[in-house]
Amino acid sequence: MSAQKDVISLKFKTMQSDGILLHREGQNGDHITLELIKGKLSLLINLGDTKTHPSNAQINITLGSLLDDQHWHSVLIEHFNNQVNFTVDKHTHHFHAKGEFNYLDLDYKLSFGGIPVPGKSGTLSRENFHGCFENIYYNGVNIIDLARRHKSQIYFVGNLSFSCLEPQVVPVTFLNSSSYLILPGTSGQDDIFISFQFRTWNKEGLLLYSKLHEASGGVFLYLNDGKVKISLHKAGKTLSDITA
């Protein structure tokens, strides 16, 4: 790590909301971690020993949202002396770490997609990244190109391929208010499990309806004023009404 300049850039896309994108750690607990947490990117800089560096011992900056949308997102981390620029999709957070940041004692190892030896660092999710990277550059060096050519300074853990497979998504569009799908149910079934994703410009609309076994009520999942609501009805009475 150059004491004067450190620049890391990459692009990623994933459908997972949590995972380690980047990690680097020193012997005394100093570490830098870039982590996806609930669809947001968090840059954590930890100076380890708070007795040696009592002030500004930990920096945590969060940028972006809904980054688990299977679209490409770009990240740039620039460290010049004690000035740090953290950029996600052209949104930049500039911050000035006090003199202690110059004393970050980091090993030469830099990991992408996970932590080689988990347990020492105070990361939040600790989950490995599951998705695609491209254009990983460290101080101008193309890391993926080194990996593809199996250079000795790069090693792999787990399964990876030099391609980015798109998940199989089969969408359906209801073109007007009279369109819908019907799925035959199973009589006498006690449990029901349904999952789906949706998107719409409309603030109102019925998403799902299922009759109860007694045929005297049903479950309604619907949009009301842009909010998702679920109602359980039986014999003309509303047993529950929940807004998410």
Side-chain angles (χ1 to χ4, degrees), residues 122-155:
T123 56
L124 299 178
S125 78
R126 298 181 181 274
E127 293 185 27
N128 283 1
F129 175 76
H130 181 200
C132 299
F133 282 127
E134 73 174 15
N135 296 343
I136 299 178
Y137 283 91
Y138 172 62
N139 288 344
V141 177
N142 188 329
I143 303 300
I144 294 178
D145 180 59
L146 292 178
R148 188 195 299 271
R149 292 189 285 132
H150 295 280
K151 292 297 182 180
S152 60
Q153 63 265 49
I154 305 285
Y155 64 91

Side-chain angles (χ1 to χ4, degrees), residues 52-69:
T52 308
H53 315 307
S55 62
N56 214 23
Q58 183 167 298
I59 300 164
N60 195 344
I61 306 297
T62 300
L63 284 179
S65 63
L66 304 175
L67 300 177
D68 51 349
D69 59 358

